[in-house]
Amino acid sequence: MSMMEVNPRVKDKRKISILWRTELNHLLERNDLPKYKEKSKLFVQEKLLEKVPGEILWKQAYEELFERDYNTIAEEIETYRKNRRKA
C-alpha cells in the first residue's frame, strides 16, 4: 500500500471541518470564490467542497494546515469578536 492512497473511511465534510475560518477564507481567495462574509463556516465548507475539485482543494488545505500559526489565532479570534460586537 502506497503512502498516497485515499482512506475510503475519511469523509470530505469531516476533513474540511478541521480548518479554521481564516484558512477557509484563504482557500476561497485562492480559488477566486466569493468571500461569503455573512455566511456560516459550514456554508463556506460546503461551497468549497462543491466548487473546488478535490485534488486541488486537499492539496491547498494541507498547505494551510502546514502553515497554521497557533500564535496568531488568538489575535484573529479577538479581532473577529470585536468586529462582530460593533456590527
Side-chain angles (χ1 to χ4, degrees):
M1 184 158 128
S2 84
M3 288 177 27
M4 294 300 289
E5 284 188 39
V6 175
N7 182 342
R9 293 181 296 174
V10 177
K11 304 288 184 238
D12 288 346
K13 285 185 179 186
R14 182 78 174 127
K15 277 197 300 190
I16 202 166
S17 71
I18 66 170
L19 293 173
W20 296 336
R21 180 61 189 244
T22 52
E23 294 164 340
L24 295 170
N25 289 345
H26 291 153
L27 295 176
L28 290 170
E29 187 177 320
R30 288 177 73 176
N31 292 289
D32 298 319
L33 294 170
K35 293 183 181 180
Y36 302 115
K37 285 187 176 192
E38 302 300 319
K39 298 293 185 176
S40 68
K41 182 178 170 183
L42 181 60
F43 178 90
V44 172
Q45 292 168 351
E46 290 173 355
K47 279 296 174 190
L48 284 165
L49 289 171
E50 175 187 322
K51 302 281 186 183
V52 183
E55 61 274 2
I56 295 170
L57 179 61
W58 299 123
K59 182 181 184 298
Q60 293 174 349
Y62 300 145
E63 289 170 3
E64 288 292 329
L65 288 170
F66 186 75
E67 297 295 323
R68 184 176 271 186
D69 185 353
Y70 291 92
N71 296 320
T72 61
I73 191 61
E75 293 172 21
E76 290 180 21
I77 291 170
E78 187 58 32
T79 300
Y80 173 78
R81 287 181 178 159
K82 283 180 184 176
N83 290 338
R84 296 251 325 171
R85 280 187 222 124
K86 291 177 185 175

